[in-house]
Amino acid sequence: MSIQKADIGVTGLATMGRNLARNFAHHGYVVAVHNRTEARTKQLVEEHGNEGAFLATGSVEEFVASLERPRRAIIMVKAGEPTDAVIAELAAHMEPGDMIVDGGNANFADTRRREQALRERGLHFVGTGISGGEEGALNGPSIMPGGSAEAYAALGPLLEDISAKVDGVPCCVHVGPDGAGHFVKMVHNGIEYSDMQLIAESYDLMRQALGLGPAELADVFRQWNTGDLESYLIEITADVLGHTDAATGKPFVDVVLDQAEQKGTGRWTVQVALDLGIPVSGIAEAVFARALSGHPEQRAAARRLSGPSGTAALDVDDVRRALYASKVVAYAQGFDQIAAASKEYGWDIDLGAMATIWRGGCIIRARFLDRIREAYEGKKELPTLLSGFAAEMDAAQDSWRRVVATAAQIGVPTPGFSSALAYYDALRRERLPAALIQGLRDYFGAHTYRRVDRDGVFHTDWPTPTRPESPA
């Protein structure tokens, strides 16, 4: 008698892994399941065994043996050392041509290291970004697999099958070699940080400047979600603001401690952008805003500092336009970073395809991703994505400037709005004050400079500055 084999396996059955395994089963695949704690494997089969074909396994060796060749095993465990430990266990029982898929939020540099090490052993390592949270994992996430084209040929059809679909198009595509998939997922998360910060600033500004309460603001965001701002994050913002705390009867947002946490992908995005020389100021400000919120002792001490006594002169539509324009900047910066990394590492990433697979399943899914996809259609890259939104940016800029100015006048911090506007203005300027900076660098460090009127590198023989005498 032949023993039934699994089409794919999932090891690590916390919420994401559990739901991903169920998603595969819902689509008719035989799924081998494994967890370090065997009780969790049994629980999955007991609670959801009627949803499809699961093969429960008790050891890594049994798990690998249960997989059809070439074996496809997905790891859904904590990033870092736990991932390395599971990879080592799986690889010990695998054969050339088999695939290990890391579906966690791994650092792309770790993914590149792992891919190279396993490639030398004849194994495929596929670093795969999966976005959409637990609901997406179960019902259709956005999936960003890296790794070799050969691995994608065997794995891709399954991932495309379980992914979200928009207009019948799967929200899954082969991103590029080695760490490309995890890199794109990292930038996705960085844009998510910026998007949430801008939404939070919009809420704060309308509440402080216009006196709107959470329930009223929930209605504002619901209305916004019917227009060009339609997105998953705008939709759930309305839900959060409209929610009442059962214990106190107060608006839910008023009983939540105002200290935002983070898991690290936003920081990674900013750190890598610095290495690549790509300005992602919106993402950086979002990361710094979370960091600042987590220092209650400093914030308490600073409450003694005086603030302005200005008045507000804006309306809800001003904030809506400023939010749209600032979101476009956040996406533009993220796509610039992906393009730069694609060149640096030879990934040849299709930027239009990234916009396509982010239209459904993922946290930053939004209506205007269709516009981004159209902007990149037929082009490998753009000097700046903002050029594809010139009309919208022009229509928004008066409101955008009014929002930033009013926020400063009444003392409401808007680092996301302000940095996005500064980026926009810096890009469109014919001359920047960087010329003075370069002159200063040449003065104190002989770092040289280039000229606008001739080719070459120059240095000026600057006079030695006169130093003031020390007081007696």
Side-chain angles (χ1 to χ4, degrees), residues 24-25 34 36 48 54 100 111 149 151 153 194 218 221 225 231 234 265 272 302 318 339 378 380 383 397 404 428 450:
F24 279 113
H34 170 266
R36 184 174 57 84
H48 304 288
F54 296 100
I100 298 176
T111 301
S194 183
F221 279 94
N225 200 45
S231 68
I234 294 290
T265 46
V272 174
D318 284 329
K380 279 219 165 185
Q397 70 165 307
V404 171
R428 66 179 190 80
R450 285 173 291 126

Side-chain angles (χ1 to χ4, degrees), residues 171-298:
C171 294
C172 173
V173 72
H174 182 220
V175 177
D178 55 73
H182 274 148
F183 187 94
V184 166
K185 176 56 163 59
M186 175 193 75
V187 175
H188 163 285
N189 286 19
I191 294 172
E192 180 185 312
Y193 272 60
S194 183
D195 209 338
M196 285 193 284
Q197 176 64 26
L198 292 166
I199 290 171
E201 290 178 18
S202 299
Y203 147 77
D204 192 26
L205 193 55
M206 289 188 290
R207 190 166 187 184
Q208 302 304 318
L210 303 179
L212 300 178
E216 294 170 295
L217 288 168
D219 289 338
V220 169
F221 279 94
R222 286 191 191 99
Q223 181 60 39
W224 286 0
N225 200 45
T226 64
D228 55 10
L229 281 173
E230 180 190 344
S231 68
Y232 174 70
L233 284 172
I234 294 290
E235 176 188 349
I236 67 172
T237 297
D239 290 343
V240 171
L241 289 175
H243 184 61
T244 300
D245 177 56
T248 64
K250 295 180 179 179
F252 171 76
V253 73
D254 288 345
V255 301
V256 177
L257 185 66
D258 59 339
Q259 295 178 26
E261 299 176 359
Q262 51 187 310
K263 289 188 174 180
T265 46
R267 287 197 303 271
W268 292 350
T269 306
V270 177
Q271 289 164 350
V272 174
L274 289 171
D275 292 336
L276 291 170
I278 300 298
V280 292
S281 51
I283 298 170
E285 290 294 353
V287 172
F288 293 146
R290 291 196 193 189
L292 187 150
S293 77
H295 288 278
E297 69 293 338
Q298 289 183 329

Side-chain angles (χ1 to χ4, degrees), residues 26 155 199 207 234 283 335 354 356 397 401 461 467:
H26 294 170
L155 177 68
I199 290 171
R207 190 166 187 184
I234 294 290
I283 298 170
F335 275 84
M354 298 307 99
T356 299
Q397 70 165 307
R401 297 181 192 284
D461 188 15
R467 302 185 183 279

Side-chain angles (χ1 to χ4, degrees), residues 34-62:
H34 170 266
N35 195 76
R36 184 174 57 84
T37 306
E38 195 171 352
R40 187 169 277 177
T41 308
K42 292 179 179 177
Q43 181 186 18
L44 169 60
V45 175
E46 288 171 2
E47 294 180 357
H48 304 288
N50 63 337
E51 296 177 7
F54 296 100
L55 292 182
T57 62
S59 68
V60 170
E61 185 175 5
E62 184 185 356

